């Protein structure tokens, strides 16, 4: 089976990376990880990658004069490893317009909110403070504007009065792992295409259930 060649770019713990590693370990999964790149030497995800026998490299942004040099090195490593799809998974560096346009429609990101709400940081804390009744996560193609781009998949979870930032992070992370691996599969199977500002899909199920919280 032809497999889509992935890079996973991280900065921290790498639980999404772990979910992608686990998915790729299944023989019928249509993607494989060619390289894991962290911009932070201490990222726990580097350890996860090495333990799984993957090529794991640190490209430390602090060692580069400017963003262009850092991104040129990223680009070189991605090309060297014949990467076809770049998966940002907790990669905490904004990428410049040049780099993003070179990987247009070939780079995806997971964001811990239901975009276009709550772009940026501290998404769960802000949603709890606002009394929002749902939180969630979004897998999307990357555009130069932060947390913007055609939406591939979203998952919503309820926010309860007892939730803390930590409990909500955990509830949403479970869903992140599900939609990240499912979204990569859809892309690898050629079932997602970007058309204008949106994604269009082939052979996809659309649930018609309404979500209401609190339950009346
Ligand atoms: C996730 O919440 C992701 O949505 C955000 O950064 C976090 C990364 O978590 N972009 P992990 O490193 O995959 O555990």
């Amino acid at each position: 089976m032809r497999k889509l060649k992935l890079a996973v770019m991280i900065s921290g713990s790498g639980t999404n990376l772990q979910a992608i590693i686990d998915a790729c370990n299944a023989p019928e999964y249509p993607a494989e990880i060619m390289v894991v790149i962290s911009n932070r030497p201490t990222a726990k995800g580097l350890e996860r990658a090495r333990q799984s026998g993957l090529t794991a490299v640190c490209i430390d942004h602090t060692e580069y004069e400017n963003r262009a040099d850092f991104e040129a090195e990223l680009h070189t490593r991605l090309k060297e490893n014949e990467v076809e799809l770049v998966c940002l998974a907790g990669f905490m560096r904004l990428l410049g317009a040049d780099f993003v346009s070179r990987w247009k429609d070939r780079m995806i990101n997971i964001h811990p909110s239901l975009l276009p709400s709550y772009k940026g940081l501290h998404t769960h804390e802000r949603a709890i403070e606002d009394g929002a009744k749902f939180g969630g996560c979004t897998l999307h193609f990357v555009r130069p504007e932060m947390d913007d781009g055609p939406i591939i998949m979203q998952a919503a979870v309820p926010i309860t009065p007892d939730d803390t930032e930590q409990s909500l992070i955990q509830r949403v992370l479970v869903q992140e792992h599900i939609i990240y691996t499912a979204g990569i599969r859809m892309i690898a199977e050629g079932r997602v295409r970007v058309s204008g500002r949106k994604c269009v899909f082939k052979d996809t199920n659309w649930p018609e259930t309404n979500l209401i919280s609190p339950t009346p």
Side-chain angles (χ1 to χ4, degrees), residues 146-165:
M146 186 185 63
D147 300 328
D148 189 49
I151 291 172
I152 302 160
M153 207 181 262
Q154 294 186 306
V157 303
I159 302 176
T160 71
D162 296 336
D163 266 322
T164 60
E165 188 186 16

Side-chain angles (χ1 to χ4, degrees), residues 157-186:
V157 303
I159 302 176
T160 71
D162 296 336
D163 266 322
T164 60
E165 188 186 16
Q166 273 313 313
S167 65
L168 190 53
I169 286 174
Q170 291 312 319
R171 187 174 309 128
V172 172
L173 264 180
V174 172
Q175 301 302 316
E176 292 186 26
H177 303 159
I178 293 170
I179 69 170
Y180 217 142
T181 52
I184 292 170
R185 175 189 282 282
M186 287 207 306

Side-chain angles (χ1 to χ4, degrees), residues 4-152:
L4 186 69
K5 296 181 165 59
L6 311 177
V8 184
M9 298 203 340
I10 58 164
S11 299
S13 152
T15 65
N16 279 284
L17 164 67
Q18 188 66 56
I20 300 168
I21 292 173
D22 294 345
C24 288
N25 280 338
E28 81 285 359
Y29 193 72
E32 60 183 327
I33 300 174
M34 306 303 286
V35 62
V36 173
I37 299 176
S38 171
N39 67 312
R40 292 205 184 119
T42 53
K44 187 170 165 220
L46 281 174
E47 202 43 48
R48 294 179 191 270
R50 290 188 184 121
Q51 268 169 12
S52 301
L54 295 167
T55 306
V57 294
C58 177
I59 303 178
D60 184 346
H61 63 277
T62 63
E63 288 175 5
Y64 293 81
E65 281 276 299
N66 52 48
R67 188 159 77 178
D69 290 355
F70 168 64
E71 292 178 357
E73 180 63 19
L74 285 179
H75 188 76
T76 304
R77 289 304 183 106
L78 295 172
K79 286 309 216 188
E80 245 171 44
N81 286 282
E82 298 177 351
V83 169
E84 297 170 306
L85 181 71
V86 179
C87 302
L88 305 181
F91 183 73
M92 301 305 281
R93 260 342 270 159
L94 284 180
L95 294 164
D98 282 353
F99 183 86
V100 172
S101 69
R102 285 169 114 172
W103 291 92
K104 188 166 185 222
D105 300 341
R106 296 185 298 145
M107 180 157 61
I108 61 179
N109 179 48
I110 187 91
H111 180 74
S113 79
L114 294 170
L115 290 174
S117 291
Y118 300 111
K119 296 182 176 189
L121 298 174
H122 308 300
T123 54
H124 301 308
E125 193 184 349
R126 286 154 56 207
I128 290 171
E129 272 169 17
D130 288 345
K133 299 295 176 272
F134 290 99
C137 49
T138 304
L139 185 68
H140 64 98
F141 284 100
V142 176
R143 291 291 179 267
E145 302 75 39
M146 186 185 63
D147 300 328
D148 189 49
I151 291 172
I152 302 160

